[in-house]
Amino acid sequence: LSMKISVIVPTYQPANYLWECLDSLCRQTLAPEEFETVIVLNGCNEPYFGRIQQYIHAHPLHNFQLIQTEVGGVSNARNIGIDQSKGEYLSFLDDDDWVTDNYLEELLQRATPEAIVHANVIQYRDSTGEKMDYFLTSVFQRLQGSQKLTFFNARSFLSSSCCKLIPRKVIGTERFNKAYKLGEDSLFMFTISRRIRSIRMSGEDAIYYVRNRDNSASHKTYPYSYRLQVAFGLTFSYLALFLRRPFAYNFPFFLTRVAATLRKLFTRKYE
């Protein structure tokens, strides 16, 4: 593989925030030839496809790849991105988020073929323009002085596929489970965790900015019946994965995933 990093950006009916996301990738201090950006437009076509093409044509020095699929869903889009990308390492970036200029270079400097590298995370409230702590911000700060990151003390880092650099070797043939629209990130990270040998952290100035939008999926409220259905399905999936390879997975980490899944039953929002 000649490409070091593939950044995978799934998008559906994107608004102007997509350009902020892509602009942040164009500003990366990592040399443009070292990484590619795979944009997967899912569940929609025009006028979005044409607009993204115009953006790509206006930035010829960067390696953009645009893929369109009529099938919706972020998991399907990410799977397509994994299959069509060429990078030795993968980084998932949501279309309404963005990263600091040193993000990819900083993560790559700390990368190894069997480790994931996690960045600092800050939340941006879209309605006010305020930057504030995200639930991963305090985890990052708490673990900065830690001698060793384990699956237990860094378990929150493995709740999302974003905010990090993941070796393709660690992902292997695993893909996101398209059956779930909630909790699919955590399930994917648990699935690939059997190949993760260590967890590393970037410097605190390599930041992934999470845009807090009131109408995003993670901020919607869901009825108890739906949360129960999701929790039951995810718990069964975790259990099936663990029982298939009980000695490959970290048992305490497995228990934390099940506990976190069941805890979602008591919150109307899913984040």
Side-chain angles (χ1 to χ4, degrees):
L1 293 168
S2 57
M3 194 71 67
K4 295 302 291 185
I5 299 176
S6 293
V7 182
I8 297 173
V9 182
T11 186
Y12 169 74
Q13 295 187 353
N16 287 334
Y17 49 72
L18 175 63
W19 316 132
E20 296 180 47
C21 171
L22 300 181
D23 284 348
S24 75
L25 294 173
C26 290
R27 292 194 301 266
Q28 291 300 298
T29 55
L30 186 66
E33 62 270 18
E34 296 259 35
F35 72 98
E36 65 174 350
T37 301
V38 182
I39 306 166
V40 185
L41 182 66
N42 63 95
C44 60
N45 198 333
E46 296 298 355
Y48 311 102
F49 188 87
R51 291 171 184 169
I52 298 172
Q53 274 194 321
Q54 286 180 343
Y55 182 94
I56 292 173
H57 291 153
H59 298 80
L61 298 181
H62 297 273
N63 296 301
F64 284 108
Q65 181 184 170
L66 174 59
I67 302 167
Q68 191 272 338
T69 173
E70 293 299 330
V71 180
V74 66
S75 291
N76 181 62
R78 285 174 176 163
N79 290 344
I80 291 172
I82 295 171
D83 292 338
Q84 297 299 317
S85 61
K86 304 183 290 290
E88 181 182 349
Y89 296 90
L90 275 68
S91 183
F92 297 100
L93 177 59
D94 286 346
D95 65 352
D96 51 355
D97 300 337
W98 73 97
V99 294
T100 52
D101 298 359
N102 64 335
Y103 182 81
L104 293 180
E105 184 175 21
E106 173 76 16
L107 267 60
L108 185 60
Q109 285 175 352
R110 299 174 188 235
T112 71
E114 294 182 328
I116 64 165
V117 186
H118 200 282
N120 193 7
V121 186
I122 292 177
Q123 184 173 197
Y124 174 84
R125 188 177 292 279
D126 209 31
S127 57
T128 64
E130 177 187 7
K131 291 179 181 177
M132 53 201 296
D133 282 357
Y134 190 57
F135 80 95
L136 289 173
T137 313
S138 57
V139 178
F140 189 92
Q141 293 169 346
R142 174 170 53 83
L143 293 176
Q144 270 190 310
S146 178
Q147 292 296 312
K148 184 179 180 182
L149 301 184
T150 67
F151 281 107
F152 187 78
N153 67 14
R155 61 190 179 277
S156 294
F157 285 165
L158 299 173
S159 63
S160 170
S161 60
C162 296
C163 326
K164 56 181 63 67
L165 199 64
I166 308 173
R168 183 180 294 275
K169 177 181 176 182
V170 165
I171 295 176
T173 59
E174 305 295 350
R175 296 295 183 265
F176 288 84
N177 189 323
K178 294 184 287 186
Y180 299 107
K181 294 182 179 179
L182 296 174
E184 75 286 346
D185 259 7
S186 291
L187 182 61
F188 174 75
M189 292 306 299
F190 177 77
T191 305
I192 67 173
S193 68
R194 72 179 191 273
R195 297 196 191 96
I196 299 172
R197 296 293 168 260
S198 65
I199 303 169
R200 299 182 168 198
M201 293 168 60
S202 71
E204 63 181 342
D205 62 338
I207 304 169
Y208 184 108
Y209 284 101
V210 174
R211 189 186 300 268
N212 182 323
R213 293 189 295 124
D214 292 337
N215 61 342
S216 66
S218 63
H219 291 90
K220 290 179 182 176
T221 56
Y222 297 92
Y224 184 79
S225 58
Y226 184 68
R227 284 179 279 140
L228 183 65
Q229 177 186 341
V230 171
F232 180 81
L234 284 172
T235 300
F236 180 82
S237 294
Y238 281 120
L239 186 61
L241 282 167
F242 181 79
L243 292 178
R244 201 176 302 146
R245 296 183 176 90
F247 300 108
Y249 287 106
N250 181 288
F251 183 64
F253 178 53
F254 161 72
L255 293 179
T256 67
R257 294 299 86 189
V258 172
T261 300
L262 295 176
R263 194 165 58 243
K264 300 291 187 184
L265 286 171
F266 303 100
T267 175
R268 289 183 62 79
K269 291 184 178 180
Y270 212 98
E271 55 183 338

